[in-house]
């Protein structure tokens, strides 16, 4: 995987914050983001005064819908931040074309998709910048951590400074200057050596970890296909050309009520199934930025009706069989 520079950071959120500074985002600017994502995808830009503009997802992958992006672009738009949900790639060609047409910076929030690919090319190598998460919930982890991948080489020097409290300490450590000093704004966003050492061990085993997760993912997918079809449950869709890394396995029920009963059903069998993102446009801050109920129906439905099945590196075959059996016993 090649990029101009990969800088380890204290989190993906902090890497997104650096990307906001590198994009010179400021009050009055707008950034297009999906509504169905983690808070940081929007809050990192709002922190510097930019307004997140929420766009709905495609029904199949839950990724930002490229067909809805252009109508969200205004003269104030500066950037598009995409999220490859579950490590399944967004449709990057139309997104990159739109960005070029309107002179926008593309940032990939690739928190879920390290080493996943789109048409043979690694996610995180399409935008000017991309961010990774090594939070405990991710495939490759050091507890809390992240990275900023920089593909536009003109951004590297300032990124190093922003991450080092606004100093040129990185140059000093490379022996390029004889002392370091305050040269720009910045903050303390460098991952600690101790966490980096844990991360190194994980990265060395990344192929094995991802292969194991993909195996578990595939097992759910094949074992639940007939059941899901029969009951009208939506399983994840992986379009042609996308190679994911088995980050999440999710299912979408028809109604929120069905989902609640399902989670209870699993809990009674000592199996924890959780949901996650609540659409950002209907959150209190999202509404402050102009979001309103009904604006992103796909995100709203996913927020109400999506549930994740247990998926972690050491989930054993017998544990997974028990989960699958319990799912199939759910009484509609
Ligand atoms: C899509 C997305 N972006 C950003 C983040 C934030 O990652 P971190 O906890 O490393 O800041 C997450 C965390 O789950 C995420 O799912």
């Amino acid at each position: 995987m090649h990029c101009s520079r990969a800088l380890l950071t204290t989190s993906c959120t902090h890497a997104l914050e650096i990307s906001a500074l590198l994009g010179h985002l400021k009050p009055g600017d707008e950034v297009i983001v999906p509504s169905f994502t983690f808070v940081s995808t929007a809050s990192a830009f709002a922190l510097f005064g930019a307004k997140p503009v929420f766009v709905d997802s495609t029904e199949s992958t839950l990724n930002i819908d490229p067909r809805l992006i252009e109508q969200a672009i205004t003269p104030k738009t500066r950037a598009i931040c995409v999220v490859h949900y579950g490590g399944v790639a967004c449709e990057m060609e139309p997104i990159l074309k739109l960005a070029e047409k309107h002179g926008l910076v593309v940032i990939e929030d690739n928190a879920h998709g390290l080493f996943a690919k789109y048409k043979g090319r690694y996610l995180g190598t399409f935008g000017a910048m991309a961010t990774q998460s090594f939070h405990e919930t991710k495939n490759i982890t050091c507890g809390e951590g992240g990275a900023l991948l920089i593909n536009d080489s003109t951004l590297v020097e300032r990124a190093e400074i922003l991450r080092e409290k606004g100093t040129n300490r990185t140059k000093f450590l490379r022996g390029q200057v004889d002392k370091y000093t305050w040269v720009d704004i910045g903050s303390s966003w460098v991952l600690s050596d101790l966490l980096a050492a844990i991360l190194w061990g994980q990265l060395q085993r990344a192929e094995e970890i991802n292969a194991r997760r993909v195996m578990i993912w595939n097992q759910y997918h094949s074992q639940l296909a007939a059941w899901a079809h029969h009951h009208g449950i939506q399983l994840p869709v992986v379009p042609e050309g996308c190679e994911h890394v088995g980050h999440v396995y999710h299912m979408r029920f028809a109604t929120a009520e069905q989902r609640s009963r399902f989670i209870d059903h699993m809990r009674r069998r000592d199996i924890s199934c959780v949901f996650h993102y609540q659409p950002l446009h209907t959150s209190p801050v999202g509404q402050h930025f102009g979001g309103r109920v009904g604006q992103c129906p796909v995100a709203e439905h996913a927020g109400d009706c999506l549930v994740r099945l247990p998926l972690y590196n050491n989930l054993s075959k017998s544990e997974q069989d028990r989960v699958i059996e319990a799912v199939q016993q759910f009484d509609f």
Side-chain angles (χ1 to χ4, degrees):
M1 178 170 187
H2 180 79
C3 60
S4 289
R5 188 66 52 86
L7 298 175
L8 292 179
T9 57
T10 33
S11 65
C12 180
T13 304
H14 284 162
L16 285 164
E17 289 171 15
I18 301 174
S19 79
L21 289 171
L22 289 172
H24 298 283
L25 295 173
K26 54 181 189 321
D29 291 343
E30 293 179 359
V31 181
I32 290 177
V33 298
S35 174
F36 189 69
T37 180
F38 190 68
V39 176
S40 306
T41 315
S43 70
F45 305 110
L47 185 65
F48 299 100
K51 175 185 170 185
V53 173
F54 302 106
V55 167
D56 205 3
S57 298
T58 55
E59 175 69 22
S60 55
T61 59
L62 295 176
N63 284 332
I64 194 166
D65 187 340
R67 286 154 291 273
L68 301 176
I69 292 180
E70 192 151 31
Q71 66 202 55
I73 295 174
T74 75
K76 296 177 179 171
T77 310
R78 297 286 169 266
I80 305 174
C81 184
V82 302
V83 176
H84 305 294
Y85 178 61
V88 174
C90 294
E91 294 168 63
M92 290 312 292
E93 284 107 345
I95 294 171
L96 292 172
K97 256 194 212 145
L98 273 177
E100 200 182 343
K101 178 173 163 196
H102 295 273
L104 309 176
V105 178
V106 174
I107 301 158
E108 295 173 74
D109 177 344
N110 192 29
H112 300 183
L114 183 61
F115 302 128
K117 289 182 183 170
Y118 180 57
K119 298 189 178 167
R121 182 169 157 189
Y122 284 110
L123 305 191
T125 63
F126 290 88
M129 296 166 260
T131 62
Q132 302 296 153
S133 174
F134 302 118
H135 182 259
E136 63 178 26
T137 50
K138 302 302 183 290
N139 292 21
I140 309 296
T141 176
C142 59
E144 285 276 8
L148 177 68
L149 311 185
I150 305 171
N151 298 309
D152 174 350
S153 58
T154 64
L155 300 173
V156 170
E157 190 172 345
R158 183 156 192 251
E160 289 179 347
I161 292 167
L162 295 170
R163 190 183 67 141
E164 271 286 14
K165 302 106 187 152
T167 73
N168 55 354
R169 184 163 184 258
T170 309
K171 270 192 169 169
F172 172 70
L173 294 175
R174 282 201 293 259
Q176 292 167 323
V177 289
D178 63 354
K179 54 185 170 305
Y180 70 90
T181 186
W182 187 18
V183 293
D184 200 339
I185 56 168
S187 192
S188 186
W189 284 317
V190 179
L191 186 72
S192 88
D193 291 353
L194 296 177
L195 292 179
I198 293 170
L199 182 63
W200 178 234
Q202 290 267 297
L203 285 169
Q204 284 176 313
R205 294 181 62 183
E207 247 179 71
E208 176 194 335
I209 291 170
N210 285 342
R212 165 125 198 90
R213 291 185 71 121
V214 169
M215 194 187 82
I216 296 170
W217 194 103
N218 287 340
Q219 186 72 3
Y220 277 138
H221 210 54
S222 59
Q223 298 284 310
L224 293 174
W227 170 86
H229 183 71
H230 182 71
H231 294 288
I233 303 295
Q234 233 173 321
L235 297 184
V237 171
V238 180
E240 218 180 304
C242 296
E243 280 173 58
H244 67 91
V245 283
H247 180 54
V248 287
Y249 196 85
H250 57 86
M251 315 193 296
R252 275 175 282 168
F253 285 88
T255 65
E257 186 272 333
Q258 258 184 10
R259 177 179 76 176
S260 301
R261 281 199 295 109
F262 175 79
I263 291 173
D264 279 350
H265 162 90
M266 297 299 275
R267 193 181 296 130
R268 283 198 300 277
R269 286 156 181 78
D270 278 335
I271 299 169
S272 163
C273 290
V274 291
F275 53 87
H276 57 165
Y277 307 146
Q278 293 303 290
L280 295 181
H281 70 285
T282 54
S283 67
V285 179
Q287 293 202 32
H288 161 80
F289 282 118
R292 53 184 170 71
V293 176
Q295 178 187 340
C296 301
V298 175
E300 287 169 33
H301 183 265
D304 284 344
C305 303
L306 180 146
V307 68
R308 293 183 292 157
L309 296 182
L311 204 179
Y312 45 91
N313 302 351
N314 56 355
L315 182 73
S316 70
K317 168 91 174 69
S318 61
E319 284 168 332
Q320 189 179 18
D321 287 345
R322 197 164 81 74
V323 175
I324 292 169
E325 200 183 310
V327 171
Q328 291 170 332
Q329 284 166 356
F330 178 59
D331 184 6
F332 284 82

